[in-house]
Amino acid sequence: MWLNVSNEELPAQERLPFWADMLSRELAPLTVSSARADADFPARGRLLDLGLVRVASFDSPPAHLKRTWADVRQADPATYQLTFVSGTPLWISQRRQDSGLVCGDMVLWNSSHPFEGEVPDRGRHIQSHILQLPREELPLPPDKVDRLLARPLSARTGMGAILSRFVTTLDAYGPECEPRDLSRLGAMALDLAGACLAQHIDAYGDLPAETRRQALLARVNTFIDHNLGDPELSPADIAAHHHISLRSLHTLFRQQEETVAASIRRRRLERCHADLTDPRLRRRTISAIAARWGFLRPPEFSRAFRARYGVPPRELRQMALGSVPDTEGSR
């Protein structure tokens, strides 16, 4: 489960030293300083152990960070730290490379080398999600990965977007997971991170077959989620988009405990369930909600919905929202 950390209940003068000590413990020994005249430094964070990897999520004021060779000699966790930045930009310099200001994307640093970083004071906190990757577990040549240090890496497209979404959604769903599920998520995070970094260094062929399989599955699942509203979406379309055979697609889903078509239908029904119980959409008709997620025939939708949730769509909506307008277009 998440370990929550905060310095906000401490006296103002104790907040920065507490935060610097926590970062040195949880990431790697480093120095944190702030240019704020009042020395106030309210910050909070969350830490999640996923077995092979760890995730840290921080919300903190602008600051300057520095890790020296003395810090490296003091303790080196031998990790790559892949950081997703939002809110206020961050820059990092390591091994004669400088990221420039990064916001909305990722930046990588290596705990075995000194680095320097800063969050400019723009009146806002920085929100960062850090994926801590043990170097010995990452299935890529270290000399190639080191080319990416202190370089901005896109988190808006391709594997970067998939990885970013995976890490940030752990905030919402991580606490619900059992220990064995967290271990699986850690293995998945390592596979996705490896695939993401490999794309930037032309080393996709260096990845193990299972890592490539997991990365392809993640891309397929993301494509399905983005196209659920298309009533024509089919396994054949999905296979063609990813340049694989239909047989290969079905083989990919063999370990998912449901077929491709069943996965599409389940996700559509889940989206319909969420919309039907959303007070903000109470004036939208049931048939419009169903059509939004690819169900164009109201009777077919009602049967499928009742089979999954045990009640018709209208009844579920009434239970969730009370009375609704008499403009429904589906039973």
Side-chain angles (χ1 to χ4, degrees):
M1 65 175 60
W2 283 103
L3 172 65
N4 294 305
V5 182
S6 173
N7 65 5
E8 294 173 316
E9 295 185 1
L10 296 175
Q13 67 274 16
E14 297 179 18
R15 291 177 175 177
L16 181 57
F18 173 92
W19 194 251
D21 181 67
M22 187 277 296
L23 291 181
S24 291
R25 255 190 350 264
E26 301 298 339
L27 300 182
L30 49 78
T31 300
V32 182
S33 57
S34 172
R36 293 193 169 189
D38 58 8
D40 193 8
F41 200 86
R44 58 183 182 273
R46 307 176 78 194
L47 304 162
L48 183 64
D49 192 338
L50 297 178
L52 289 174
V53 303
R54 297 179 74 230
V55 177
S57 176
F58 298 131
D59 183 308
S60 57
H64 184 270
L65 304 95
K66 188 171 185 179
R67 178 165 164 81
T68 65
W69 278 119
D71 294 324
V72 174
R73 288 191 292 270
Q74 177 185 341
D76 179 17
T79 57
Y80 286 113
Q81 309 266 351
L82 186 59
T83 304
F84 304 80
V85 184
S86 60
T88 292
L90 163 75
W91 66 259
I92 281 181
S93 176
Q94 188 171 55
R95 299 195 72 182
R96 300 181 181 179
Q97 298 184 125
D98 193 308
S99 68
L101 291 176
V102 176
C103 190
D105 287 314
M106 307 175 287
V107 64
L108 183 74
W109 58 277
N110 185 338
S111 69
S112 297
H113 299 277
F115 86 93
E116 190 170 3
E118 186 167 14
V119 179
D121 194 343
R122 297 186 175 180
R124 302 189 306 274
H125 280 206
I126 179 175
Q127 285 83 46
S128 58
H129 298 271
I130 303 175
L131 191 61
Q132 298 175 268
L133 308 164
R135 287 204 308 276
E136 63 182 16
E137 297 289 345
L138 195 66
L140 290 170
D143 59 322
K144 291 186 178 181
V145 178
D146 282 351
R147 299 175 196 167
L148 301 177
L149 299 178
R151 279 180 46 188
L153 305 172
S154 175
R156 305 167 197 262
T157 59
M159 287 303 304
I162 293 172
L163 179 60
S164 174
R165 181 182 178 189
F166 174 85
V167 172
T168 54
T169 53
L170 285 173
D171 265 349
Y173 302 110
E176 302 172 4
C177 295
E178 298 292 332
R180 62 182 180 181
D181 296 323
L182 292 176
S183 180
R184 291 193 190 109
L185 288 173
M188 188 181 301
L190 193 62
D191 286 335
L192 294 179
C196 177
L197 297 176
Q199 287 189 334
H200 288 279
I201 54 176
D202 194 25
Y204 202 75
D206 293 334
L207 296 173
E210 179 59 19
T211 296
R212 296 197 299 271
R213 192 190 78 83
Q214 289 294 339
L216 175 58
L217 182 60
R219 293 201 302 273
V220 167
N221 280 323
T222 299
F223 179 80
I224 291 173
D225 285 338
H226 287 172
N227 291 276
L228 287 173
D230 179 2
E232 301 299 323
L233 181 66
S234 70
D237 296 326
I238 297 167
H241 180 84
H242 291 88
H243 308 291
I244 59 176
S245 69
L246 187 57
R247 180 179 179 180
S248 296
L249 178 65
H250 289 307
T251 300
L252 188 65
F253 268 70
R254 193 166 292 161
Q255 296 180 12
Q256 298 294 103
E257 300 181 354
E258 62 181 358
T259 65
V260 182
S263 179
I264 294 171
R265 174 167 290 230
R266 172 184 57 79
R267 297 184 213 196
R268 283 175 170 164
L269 289 171
E270 288 172 350
R271 301 302 195 281
C272 290
H273 186 286
D275 284 0
L276 288 169
T277 56
D278 188 340
R280 297 170 297 179
L281 302 178
R282 63 184 306 127
R283 294 192 174 277
R284 185 170 297 176
T285 66
I286 293 176
S287 59
I289 287 174
R292 177 189 181 190
W293 297 113
F295 291 103
L296 300 185
R297 299 180 180 87
E300 178 185 333
F301 165 66
S302 293
R303 286 193 298 271
F305 192 92
R306 184 167 190 165
R308 179 164 183 83
Y309 295 108
V311 294
R314 182 191 297 275
E315 186 176 332
L316 174 86
R317 192 177 220 189
Q318 289 174 339
M319 288 189 296
L321 305 179
S323 60
V324 292
D326 294 328
T327 57
E328 304 298 353
S330 179
R331 296 175 178 77

